[in-house]
Amino acid sequence: MTSFEEDETEETATCLHMTFYHPCQQDKMMFRCLNFCKREQVRADETAKFGRDSNVCHYNLVDTRVSRIQFSLQFYRKLNSSEFCFEIKNMSKKTKLTVDQTELGYLNKIDLPWKCIICFGDYQILAEIQEGEAMDYFETHLHLAKVPILQETCLPSLQPIPEKGIFPSLSPSHDKRPIEIDENESC
């Protein structure tokens, strides 16, 4: 046997990709202490903490409106399963944390979905979990978004708008003929 054949199989680590956005990130540079575009290993028994206090939080947000510890992420394996997951816990007494549409108060926690948006204050974080096999550690890979993760969406009008721009209820003829509209038109 060659040494190559005797080498242990390399495990891939579960990786948590996080894309950060804040509307004032250019001016206030609140993400300047985060290590973007480089994977970092975190031991499985450590809790990944995000917040203002650099003595406690490995992921430091330089903003006085952020709590000392804003939220934490705990890596774990589901019972009777080989699936690895993350649990997110709101550590802020002042600010609610939203994971997709679920609002978390102080010390509330939930399983982090495989792909979700985490919000608090004006902060938006897209979190995506990439599966791996390693049990002793996971990785984080941070990215910076140049545009908002949550875009304002234009809700469709409840009443169809005719191509001529005149609402049927406002037209003098009160004709009840169907109005043709293009359903592919954007708002």
Side-chain angles (χ1 to χ4, degrees), residues 32-153:
R32 67 179 172 263
C33 293
L34 297 180
N35 196 0
F36 290 108
C37 299
K38 181 179 176 259
R39 288 179 181 241
E40 288 187 31
Q41 280 191 5
V42 181
R43 287 183 18 193
D45 60 349
E46 289 181 12
T47 301
K49 294 179 182 150
F50 295 75
R52 185 182 76 231
D53 189 343
S54 61
N55 295 320
V56 179
C57 299
H58 180 72
Y59 303 96
N60 191 326
L61 303 171
V62 187
D63 185 346
T64 56
R65 292 170 294 164
V66 171
S67 294
R68 282 183 55 252
I69 305 172
Q70 189 70 45
F71 67 93
S72 66
L73 291 168
Q74 181 69 54
F75 182 64
Y76 73 98
R77 192 172 94 195
K78 286 194 172 188
L79 187 64
N80 300 323
S81 170
S82 61
E83 183 181 355
F84 292 101
C85 302
F86 291 90
E87 179 180 83
I88 185 167
K89 182 193 295 186
N90 185 9
M91 301 297 291
S92 174
K93 291 180 182 176
K94 294 181 181 177
T95 308
K96 295 209 182 309
L97 183 78
T98 305
V99 179
D100 284 340
Q101 275 72 50
T102 305
E103 193 174 271
L104 303 176
Y106 178 58
L107 296 181
N108 291 149
K109 64 182 182 177
I110 61 168
D111 283 353
L112 194 66
W114 288 103
K115 185 174 183 177
C116 64
I117 297 176
I118 302 164
C119 296
F120 58 93
D122 289 331
Y123 287 82
Q124 299 174 12
I125 305 166
L126 173 64
E128 299 175 272
I129 300 171
Q130 181 182 350
E131 291 180 302
E133 303 92 32
M135 293 178 27
D136 298 329
Y137 65 96
F138 66 93
E139 294 178 337
T140 58
H141 194 185
L142 308 183
H143 310 272
L144 185 63
K146 298 200 183 314
V147 295
I149 294 164
L150 286 174
Q151 295 285 348
E152 291 294 322
T153 56

